[in-house]
Amino acid sequence: MSSETEAINETRCASCGIAANDDIKLKNCTACHLVKYCGVKCQREHRPQHKRACKKRAAELHDEILFKQPESSHHGDCPICCLPLPLDLEKSTMMACCSQQICKGCSYTNAMREIEKNLVQRCPFCRHPKPETLEDGDKDRMKRVEANDPVALRELGNRRHSEGDHVSAIEQWTKAAALGDVGAHYQLHIYYRDGVGVEKDMKKAIYHAEQAAIGGNPEARYNLGYEESGNHRYERAVKHWVIAATLGCDNSLEILRKGHTLGLVQKEDFAAALRAHKAAVDATKSPQREEAEAKWYEAGMEGAYVKD
């Protein structure tokens, strides 16, 4: 499309050719943003002519978003030390009172300070008193659920899943996903892919996997890579695995290593992924965090705060 044609499309309806003015406001085709229309009638009439170009551009726009490298994983940073949280959930704690994910290093440091000074034990982030019982912890969680906290909704869905209540799990994850929770999208991807509690639906499974991947979930992207590989679209598969490895995903790095050995992954791509993976993992480390984590496990501090 020439620049002259583009300029015309910016000021005229693609169907009837009427020019935009103070009384006539043109609206973009929401799928491709290539053309404008003065109304729904013109858009419908122009659809047969525009359909092919629209689908092509819409797919390009979708891939631009899908294959953009996230700045960090969906876990984000610990709100206390501001270091990236590890992908390994055993190295962090979800606080029931505020739904904040705290690294074990900061949780330990806070707990030791309170014990040494004989202080009331509180959440390291919001300073809410530590739940005395599991029932108190459940009450804190439900307050967050009632407030439509997407993280709390997702965690409640996880609990229902562990209890075997798949219908309730899907209900909570669907609510959380609608509020933008990446972890909930990933769980729904697994359920629809495997047909757990719902009829197997690969279209929905891919949709939720893509939403999770865009949000920085490396496991969702790893799974998308496998889907693309199974469809013999190896270039797209490698793109997914490189992005996931850059976020610190061990599985993606390993499959890239195997692909490189078999000659399916370029040396430059594997080398870049290897360096980025190391940088992502190193970014989650610090001498203070590792020392605190080690002491946490030595002291058996798993029960310092009630958690899911």
Side-chain angles (χ1 to χ4, degrees):
M1 185 180 292
S2 68
S3 58
E4 182 180 354
T5 303
E6 289 175 352
I8 293 173
N9 285 342
E10 285 295 316
T11 59
R12 292 185 179 276
C13 173
S15 180
C16 68
I18 192 171
N21 56 48
D22 291 341
D23 297 322
I24 299 175
K25 305 298 182 183
L26 303 182
K27 294 184 178 181
N28 279 319
C29 170
T30 55
C32 68
H33 303 284
L34 288 175
V35 295
K36 294 178 179 289
Y37 298 103
C38 62
V40 175
K41 182 175 179 292
C42 277
Q43 186 172 12
R44 288 175 178 169
E45 291 177 352
H46 192 247
R47 181 61 180 167
Q49 179 182 343
H50 176 58
K51 185 176 181 179
R52 180 176 296 181
C54 183
K55 281 190 172 183
K56 182 176 182 295
R57 182 54 182 158
E60 291 171 352
L61 291 173
H62 175 265
D63 280 359
E64 286 177 12
I65 297 171
L66 180 61
F67 290 108
K68 183 180 179 180
Q69 179 71 52
E71 294 183 3
S72 66
S73 83
H74 62 300
H75 294 311
D77 299 339
C78 170
I80 307 299
C81 65
C82 297
L83 290 175
L85 287 164
L87 297 182
D88 182 1
L89 292 178
E90 291 298 316
K91 294 185 178 182
S92 61
T93 301
M94 180 67 68
M95 308 311 297
C97 47
C98 57
S99 299
Q100 289 291 325
Q101 197 166 340
I102 312 295
C103 74
K104 284 288 176 65
C106 288
S107 294
Y108 171 83
T109 301
N110 180 67
M112 288 296 96
R113 179 184 62 83
E114 291 169 339
I115 292 171
E116 290 170 1
K117 295 184 178 181
N118 197 29
L119 301 173
V120 174
Q121 288 196 304
R122 298 177 180 273
C123 168
F125 182 77
C126 73
R127 310 310 296 161
H128 186 279
K130 168 192 170 184
E132 295 293 333
T133 65
L134 291 175
E135 289 74 17
D136 289 340
D138 286 339
K139 289 179 182 178
D140 287 340
R141 293 188 190 91
M142 291 312 298
K143 286 180 182 178
R144 301 306 307 158
V145 169
E146 291 166 4
N148 270 338
D149 183 329
V151 175
L153 289 167
R154 181 236 302 160
E155 291 300 310
L156 180 59
N158 292 349
R159 174 169 291 194
R160 296 294 178 258
H161 164 74
S162 65
E163 294 169 351
D165 186 352
H166 303 308
V167 173
S168 181
I170 292 171
E171 180 184 354
Q172 300 305 323
W173 289 333
T174 300
K175 290 179 182 178
L179 293 170
D181 187 77
V182 172
H185 276 297
Y186 178 72
Q187 297 292 1
L188 288 169
H189 153 63
I190 298 298
Y191 262 44
Y192 282 112
R193 184 195 66 183
D194 299 341
V196 180
V198 291
E199 184 177 349
K200 186 174 181 179
D201 188 328
M202 286 307 297
K203 184 176 181 179
K204 288 184 178 180
I206 294 299
Y207 166 77
H208 287 293
E210 288 183 344
Q211 293 304 305
I214 290 169
N217 187 306
E219 288 302 319
R221 199 169 285 280
Y222 173 77
N223 291 349
L224 286 172
Y226 253 106
E227 289 294 329
E228 295 289 9
S229 177
N231 291 323
H232 307 290
R233 298 195 289 191
Y234 301 114
E235 184 177 347
R236 293 174 67 86
V238 170
K239 283 183 180 180
H240 281 304
W241 291 329
V242 167
I243 292 172
T246 300
L247 293 174
C249 178
D250 294 339
N251 290 335
S252 292
L253 183 66
E254 184 58 29
I255 201 167
L256 288 171
R257 188 191 308 277
K258 292 178 180 177
H260 173 57
T261 301
L262 296 172
L264 300 175
V265 177
Q266 296 294 322
K267 179 180 178 180
E268 296 78 10
D269 291 337
F270 175 64
L274 188 63
R275 290 192 297 270
H277 177 274
K278 183 179 185 302
V281 173
D282 288 347
T284 67
K285 299 178 180 178
S286 74
Q288 296 83 1
R289 178 181 278 190
E290 291 181 1
E291 179 183 3
E293 286 178 358
K295 288 181 177 178
W296 176 287
Y297 290 113
E298 287 174 8
M301 292 298 296
E302 285 296 325
Y305 290 95
V306 176
K307 68 186 185 71
D308 284 321

